[in-house]
Structure formats: structure tokens, C-alpha cells
Amino acid sequence: MCAALARIRLDREQSRKGDARSPSQQGVLPRAWRDARGRLWWKARSLGLEWPAHDLELFEWCRRPLGSWPLALALTGADLEAVLLEGDELSEFAEQAADLAHHADVEAELVQNQSFAALLLCVRLNGANEEATQKAYARLRRLLIDHPVLSDRDVQVLARELPKADSDNDTFLAKFLRTAYVFHPVPAPGKARLRRCRQCGNPADNDPVRCGTPGCTGRPEAYEVLCLAGYWQQHRATRQFFHDPGLVEGRVLDGLAKLPADRVQIEPWPHLDAWDGAVTFTSMLPQETAECWVFDAKDCSSPALLARKFRSDPRVPARRRIIVLPTHRAQTPGYRADLERELQGRVTGIEILDEKSFLRQAAARASKAGAAR
């Protein structure tokens, strides 16, 4: 059903763009919706249950918590409180469930894959060795988190760091930017006046009061971008797959960066994204060995979906392997218990902490560096 709703949304967007192939232009709901509706209808009929008689009624059901549906759905307690539609838009739960169900948004999946491939190509060709490649990778991943909008002046600075180009003198950085961002020209050099969220930096063109990014409590503000020919704004797929999930990664890495540098070494996205970060607590005593923690910061509306997508990468030897949850997820009743249960049988040796607890434990461990334990 989530994938069916995502297909309807994509058809609607194509219709707005004038795509003659869009089923929505023909007044026909996509096959994914009809198939999902049919499966639900037959299941309800076999159980002797009442089910919505037409599509409009079923759309209303999608605005109700899944736990209130007449069918007993095989979902966790937290997911049963979720809805599929918030007004006329997909809920965060539906977006992430549709992404798991073979990426119903074909355009977003394509841009995600192309952006990641272009990023890897850029860093590998600009990195003279493994260390330089890793450094360039972390630089661009952080760029995607910190800069949903880029001035062309900023790009010129970045181009001096990553200058490698193909035989046509087209830099691999430019190829990456054209994939992950959309260029907006300006009529003359100067300041482009835009609106963005004060907290996460996402463009805020539609809502004058709230940001709309999951987990973000920021408010829109006016700001100016100083540019020559124009500015770059992230493609919606870049926001969906890199920027928005990366906000918690950025906060955790920023928190770790405040720890004493002589006691803690931080490697963002080791092995080109095996984990979101590796934290090594160095030893001041010759008889002690360094201790490494690795973490993945995950912001997912559904603990079941998070557990299904999570992979524990063994390439980084570590004493502790931790999933770090943003505060608003950890405070959701039942979320952590559902996640722990869903992870059972899939991975072992994984701890779950909220971001504040993780940073507090890291600070405590750093303070003991060199001391007997």
C-alpha cells in the first residue's frame, strides 16, 4: 500500500509537469494501487470483515492509524500508531516504507544511485592514496549535510580542492554537483534572496511557519546567497537520502569533535561509509591498547524498517557497535523496545543509544583515557 501511494504521488508530480504517460492524466489509478486494494479486499472478505467500498473511502482509511484498521496487521506497536497519509501527502512512515519496497519513486532512486556513484568517482580520482580518498569522501558527505544550497562561489573554492577532470576538462566534482544538485541561474551577479530553515538549512518555500523536515523544529527565515551566475540547490532525492538522514550524523560528529583531540581520534564514514563514524580512545599508558567504538546514526520513523535495513559492517574492528537514535525517536514510546526486538536474529552485539547518551558516554570514556580501568 505504501508503494502504491508513492506511485500515485509520482504520477501526480508527472502530471503537473505535463507527462502524457502519467496514469493520473487519464483518470486511472496506477496498477500498484489497484493490486493493493484488491489484496486487502480479498483478505477482509476471507475474514468476514467490512472494508472500504471505494477508493475515496480507502484514502480516508490511509489517514487513520494502522492499528485502527479492521485487519490485524503484522506490525510493531510503534508502527501501528503510524498513518500512511497526512492530509494529501505521504507520511514519513509511508515514504520510508515505500523506499524499502523497491523504491517506488524511480526518479529518486535513480538520482540517489547516480549521486553516490558520482561522489565515489570524484573522491577516488582526486585521492592520491587511501587516506586522501577517505578525507575527500568525508568532505563531500559533510557537504551534503551542511549545504542544501551552494553558491557558485563556494563551488569555485571546492574545485581547487578537487580539481581532477576528464579528457574534456569536465571536472568530476562538476559531474557530482550536476547529479546531486539543481542549478538556478540569476540574472546578474549579486545576492539571491531565498528562504531556508534556520536549524537544518533546507529551503522553506511552501510553509511560512514550520520547516517540515522530520525531527527538525526550526522555523523558516530569509537569507541571501552571494553568487556570480547562480546557486545550486539539492535535488529532492539528495535531501531524502543524504541530507535529512545525515542531520543526526552531523550533530553526533560535531559533538564528538568537542572531545579532547589528544585522547580521541574521530574518523567520519570509515572505509567509505562502512559506519557513520569510528571513535578511537587513545591510551596514555604503554600497557593499554586503544579502544574503538563504531556507530551508525539512524533517523527512521519505523523501528521495523530500520532493523530490516541495518547492516553491521565487520571491516572496522571495534569493542562497541552502536546504533545512535535522534532524541525525538528515542523518546517515542515503545520505539527502542520494538527496535531491539526486530534486530534479534538479524545482527548481534549491537547497542542502542540516543544521541545525548552516546555523547555523554563518549565524553566519560575520553576522560578516562590513560587511567586504569
Side-chain angles (χ1 to χ4, degrees), residues 104-247:
D105 190 337
V106 178
E107 181 188 6
E109 179 189 9
L110 180 62
V111 172
Q112 176 201 15
N113 293 336
Q114 289 179 336
S115 296
F116 192 67
L119 188 155
L120 288 178
L121 183 64
C122 178
V123 301
R124 283 172 174 158
L125 292 177
N126 279 279
N129 50 45
E130 184 176 343
E131 181 180 355
T133 299
Q134 180 65 45
K135 182 179 179 181
Y137 180 87
R139 176 78 166 89
L140 290 187
R141 279 301 301 269
R142 196 60 202 247
L143 179 86
L144 294 177
I145 296 172
D146 294 341
H147 296 284
V149 175
L150 270 174
S151 163
D152 56 0
R153 294 165 61 99
D154 297 327
V155 172
Q156 289 180 351
V157 174
L158 188 60
R160 289 193 286 271
E161 298 178 32
L162 305 168
K164 295 296 183 181
D166 62 14
S167 57
D168 295 324
N169 205 32
D170 186 16
T171 67
F172 295 100
L173 173 65
K175 296 175 188 288
F176 164 67
L177 290 174
R178 289 198 300 268
T179 305
Y181 288 76
V182 178
F183 185 70
H184 296 269
V186 294
K191 297 178 180 179
R193 293 175 173 80
L194 306 173
R195 288 179 60 79
R196 68 177 176 187
C197 172
R198 184 180 307 170
Q199 183 170 317
C200 72
N202 270 334
D205 299 326
N206 299 324
D207 195 324
V209 178
R210 58 189 295 272
C211 167
T213 301
C216 181
T217 57
R219 296 175 64 86
E221 65 175 2
Y223 79 113
E224 296 178 335
V225 178
L226 186 62
C227 49
L228 299 174
Y231 61 92
W232 297 84
Q233 184 170 305
Q234 284 182 348
H235 190 282
R236 63 182 180 85
T238 309
R239 287 182 55 180
Q240 178 182 349
F241 293 110
F242 295 102
H243 175 269
D244 292 356
L247 292 172

